[in-house]
């Protein structure tokens, strides 16, 4: 493996850890969706890496579509305003929708998305999130069916997660040094 990126304080999850998490999530999803052919809705941009890995670990027939929302801008705190930047191309009425998200922080982004997708009358909507940040004051109604890992309340990057669009390409998940964003 390459050396640690100089802006990263420490690695939370290395490539091998990530692979194991993905294998487990793939098994869980495949078991629950036998005979159902889910539509995986990747929440861009952060979830694109996770979605690509998760799909390849799913053994039931499935398809994918993409939605882009923005809640953070270029900052490290949720702005509280969720904006649709790109909508789905697929009609989801009657479909089993599985939202793939990179990280659940306040839950604001997901609660907005779930409401939006529910209004289109899918057969079901569930959430697979690679990470859940352990914080106080989450939107309580969000209960992801598939959770990869719990991470501490720090700003993390890598494996699709960015700070100001950087670090998505890191193959591991690490804590960003605070001096990078302060
Ligand atoms: P929420 O709406 O507060 O749950 O925020 C969810 C979104 O914020 C995620 O989809 C991420 O794009 C972004 N986010 C939250 N925490 C982090 C982090 O630690 N690093 C990078 N992005 C994050
Ligand atoms: Mg994001």
């Amino acid at each position: 493996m390459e050396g640690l990126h100089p802006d990263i304080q420490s690695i939370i999850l290395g490539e091998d850890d990530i692979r194991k998490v993905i294998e487990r999530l793939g098994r869980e999803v495949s078991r629950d969706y036998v005979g159902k052919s889910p539509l995986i809705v990747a929440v861009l941009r952060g979830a694109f890496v996770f979605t690509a890995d998760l799909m390849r670990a799913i053994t039931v027939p499935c398809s994918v579509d993409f939605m882009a929302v923005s809640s953070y801008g270029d900052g490290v705190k949720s702005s509280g305003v969720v904006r649709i930047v790109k909508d789905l191309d697929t009609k989801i009425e009657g479909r089993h929708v599985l939202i793939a998200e990179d990280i659940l922080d306040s839950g604001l982004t997901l609660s907005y998305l779930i409401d939006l997708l529910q209004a289109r009358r899918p057969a079901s909507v569930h959430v697979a999130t690679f990470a859940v940040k352990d914080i106080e004051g989450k939107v309580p109604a969000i209960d992801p069916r598939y959770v990869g890992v719990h991470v501490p309340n720090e700003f993390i990057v890598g494996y699709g997660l960015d700070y100001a669009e950087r670090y998505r390409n890191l193959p591991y998940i690490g804590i960003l040094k605070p001096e990078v964003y302060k």
Side-chain angles (χ1 to χ4, degrees):
M1 197 178 104
E2 304 269 303
L4 185 62
H5 189 291
D7 294 349
I8 301 301
Q9 182 175 299
S10 60
I11 295 183
I12 294 188
L13 227 66
E15 291 179 72
D16 288 341
D17 309 313
I18 291 175
R19 199 169 307 118
K20 285 182 195 131
V21 168
I22 295 293
E23 281 168 11
R24 172 176 56 80
L25 292 177
R27 275 197 303 275
E28 292 174 8
V29 171
S30 304
R31 178 197 62 206
D32 294 347
Y33 285 88
V34 169
K36 282 188 177 155
S37 192
L39 172 69
I40 317 291
V41 171
V43 186
L44 297 175
R45 292 192 273 271
F48 81 104
V49 179
F50 169 51
T51 305
D53 281 351
L54 179 66
M55 273 197 88
R56 286 177 291 174
I58 294 175
T59 54
V60 296
C62 58
S63 44
V64 68
D65 200 348
F66 302 92
M67 211 157 167
V69 297
S70 146
S71 68
Y72 266 56
D74 275 351
V76 293
K77 270 221 151 69
S78 201
S79 64
V81 180
V82 181
R83 201 163 52 89
I84 293 196
V85 180
K86 181 212 171 294
D87 205 340
L88 297 174
D89 294 320
T90 311
K91 284 217 162 49
I92 63 166
E93 187 171 349
R95 296 291 308 270
H96 291 283
V97 171
L98 181 60
I99 300 174
E101 175 62 303
D102 52 1
I103 184 166
L104 173 60
D105 188 2
S106 69
L108 206 86
T109 307
L110 272 178
S111 73
Y112 175 84
L113 255 184
I114 291 168
D115 287 352
L116 186 99
L117 296 182
Q118 286 286 13
R120 300 178 186 177
R121 299 164 13 105
S124 66
V125 177
H126 290 288
V127 172
T129 184
F130 184 77
V132 171
K133 205 183 270 191
D134 286 326
I135 57 157
E136 306 275 313
K138 267 200 191 337
V139 175
I142 306 291
D143 185 19
R145 196 186 212 184
Y146 308 97
V147 173
V149 289
H150 287 264
V151 295
N153 189 11
E154 310 262 9
F155 199 79
I156 62 172
V157 293
Y159 195 63
L161 288 158
D162 73 307
Y163 168 63
E165 294 306 324
R166 291 183 61 200
Y167 314 107
R168 295 194 197 275
N169 56 320
L170 298 179
Y172 50 81
I173 287 189
I175 299 177
L176 191 60
K177 287 181 181 166
E179 58 259 39
V180 176
Y181 54 83
K182 269 181 186 146

